[in-house]
Amino acid sequence: MMRNLFILLCALLIVGKVKSLFPRESLTREIKLLNDVWNFRICHQGDQNAGFREQWFKAPLYETGEIIPMPVPSSFNDITQNKTIRDYLGWSWYDKEFYVPQRWSKNLRIVLRFESAHYFTIVYLNGREVMNHTGGHLPFETDVTQYLSYSSPNRITVALNNTLSDKTIPQGSKTFKHANDGPYPPGFYVQGTSFDFFNYAGIHRSVFLYAMPVAYIDDILITTDISNSTGSVSYSVTSRINSSQQLNPECNIHIIDKVGKEVASITGCSGVISLKNPKLWWPNTMHQDPGYLYKLHAIIKWKNIVDEYYQPFGIRTVKVTKDQFLINGKPFYFMGFGKHEDSNVSKDL
């Protein structure tokens, strides 16, 4: 129970702290979604290095052999009626061609972002490796401005390996099958697991490009507190230019309520804003208007460049005593947190 309390406490505290800004459109930012039907193929289990040895990322995937259409995002296991693909373990390959708006070619920073891919991913853009990532449950991204073409199609290629090991989350093991184990072909292996769900794989969430000014808001940190009838919003805005140099720009901050009304404003890239009688963030079971969020509208100006970002946040406090979990000073009653089963499969549940 205490472990579940700790996990939920961490999740609640993260609501007001943003370490990597989620891509959001604004007057200075634009998003291009790459979700579509991509090309897809798997390797023969007896030759897992074929794609790297033959450099499948250097040309369109259809030139390397037989491909099939594969929706992104999806789990490739359940898309076809092919048992080999459903139970496949090893390297799979995707690719897609796309265009970048020509207006993005001037004074913008372009980032390629994957929301989730299971479990080890290598990403190529126009034949060059631009990033890799281990772990299927978190997003990953990189600046790809220098690798893009703004006058011809671009090609993104993804090599994806769904093999679990003792270092992955979840953990698993790879077991080779020999002739005396049954009718298995040479080099065939299976995934050994100790969990009670299927090891789905693929590009599981959205893929997109997003553009922002070269001088941009890199991070926003927000913490909140409540004293009597006053809420305090402590904030810090970090900005950079071209992914490296940290800036000290002019900052204007506006707090906007749920209906779009400005309720406070301040200048400076860090500070504290006080709100009289704020509407608090409450869980679903504790208030008739749960989950109330404000927006922190940050605007930076550096030379002739402007960037702006809207960060949602809630005003609340979280505290743990010896025998209670308090939200805004009131005890919170946990109902089924962390329960894995979604139906009563035995009388003991």
Side-chain angles (χ1 to χ4, degrees):
M1 179 63 178
M2 288 306 297
R3 178 176 179 271
N4 288 348
L5 286 173
F6 174 77
I7 293 172
L8 183 56
L9 174 60
C10 292
L12 289 170
L13 291 174
I14 290 170
V15 169
K17 295 183 177 181
V18 180
K19 190 58 181 174
S20 179
L21 292 180
F22 184 79
R24 304 180 192 277
E25 290 197 315
S26 68
L27 291 176
T28 60
R29 296 176 172 228
E30 188 174 356
I31 296 173
K32 178 180 176 66
L33 198 61
L34 298 182
N35 294 352
D36 201 349
V37 177
W38 293 34
N39 299 315
F40 176 83
R41 67 168 300 187
I42 58 176
C43 296
H44 190 283
Q45 284 203 319
D47 190 6
Q48 284 290 293
N49 290 323
F52 302 105
R53 184 180 65 251
E54 299 171 9
Q55 298 186 322
W56 291 357
F57 51 87
K58 289 287 188 180
L61 200 58
Y62 66 80
E63 294 184 5
T64 69
E66 183 180 356
I67 61 169
I68 63 172
M70 181 62 62
V72 171
S74 74
S75 299
F76 66 70
N77 313 84
D78 280 353
I79 297 301
T80 74
Q81 294 179 317
N82 187 317
K83 187 178 185 299
T84 299
I85 292 178
R86 180 187 185 276
D87 297 332
Y88 180 73
L89 191 64
W91 286 105
S92 57
W93 289 77
Y94 295 75
D95 84 348
K96 172 184 171 56
E97 286 194 348
F98 63 93
Y99 290 90
V100 178
Q102 287 189 339
R103 64 181 179 277
W104 284 14
S105 64
K106 298 179 181 178
N107 299 321
L108 288 177
R109 174 178 181 259
I110 317 300
V111 175
L112 174 62
R113 180 180 177 99
F114 285 70
E115 287 296 295
S116 172
H118 285 68
Y119 289 94
F120 179 63
T121 311
I122 305 175
V123 181
Y124 303 88
L125 190 56
N126 296 325
R128 299 180 63 178
E129 181 179 340
V130 294
M131 63 176 162
N132 62 72
H133 179 76
T134 301
H137 311 285
L138 294 174
F140 52 100
E141 62 179 37
T142 191
D143 187 331
V144 294
T145 311
Q146 63 179 317
Y147 303 108
L148 291 168
S149 171
Y150 302 92
S151 58
S152 60
N154 294 270
R155 186 181 67 258
I156 181 173
T157 307
V158 175
L160 184 67
N161 195 316
N162 66 330
T163 306
L164 299 176
S165 71
D166 58 358
K167 297 180 180 180
T168 60
I169 300 176
Q171 294 179 324
S173 60
K174 187 170 67 173
T175 303
F176 284 87
K177 292 294 184 179
H178 302 283
N180 57 358
D181 294 325
Y184 297 105
F188 189 85
Y189 54 88
V190 296
Q191 184 79 71
T193 62
S194 58
F195 47 80
D196 60 345
F197 54 89
F198 187 80
N199 181 33
Y200 283 101
I203 302 176
H204 276 159
R205 294 178 182 155
S206 293
V207 182
F208 47 82
L209 294 168
Y210 64 100
M212 66 189 74
V214 291
Y216 61 96
I217 298 170
D218 178 56
D219 194 16
I220 298 176
L221 174 65
I222 300 173
T223 56
T224 63
D225 200 0
I226 306 166
S227 178
N228 297 322
S229 61
T230 301
S232 65
V233 181
S234 300
Y235 73 92
S236 176
V237 177
T238 304
S239 54
R240 298 184 182 277
I241 182 169
N242 293 329
S243 306
S244 55
Q245 179 185 347
Q246 190 164 323
L247 299 178
N248 184 26
E250 174 187 341
C251 290
N252 291 282
I253 307 298
H254 307 271
I255 303 298
I256 301 170
D257 67 12
K258 190 175 182 179
V259 297
K261 179 183 177 181
E262 183 178 306
V263 296
S265 64
I266 193 173
T267 59
C269 294
S270 62
V272 179
I273 301 175
S274 296
L275 296 178
K276 285 288 187 181
N277 300 312
K279 293 187 176 181
L280 304 183
W281 182 96
W282 292 99
N284 186 50
T285 57
M286 296 181 68
H287 197 270
Q288 68 273 16
D289 186 15
Y292 190 95
L293 294 178
Y294 291 88
K295 288 182 181 179
L296 186 145
H297 180 197
I299 305 172
I300 66 165
K301 297 180 181 179
W302 183 77
K303 296 184 178 180
N304 62 339
I305 301 175
V306 177
D307 188 25
E308 61 178 81
Y309 188 88
Y310 292 85
Q311 176 57 47
F313 71 95
I315 298 176
R316 80 283 183 268
T317 61
V318 178
K319 183 179 180 181
V320 178
T321 68
K322 183 179 180 180
D323 57 1
Q324 286 186 316
F325 188 98
L326 305 176
I327 296 179
N328 299 332
K330 295 184 178 183
F332 175 75
Y333 180 70
F334 289 84
M335 295 187 295
F337 173 77
K339 186 177 180 181
H340 179 66
E341 290 78 11
D342 58 7
S343 64
N344 292 325
V345 295
S346 80
K347 64 180 180 180
D348 297 325
L349 290 178

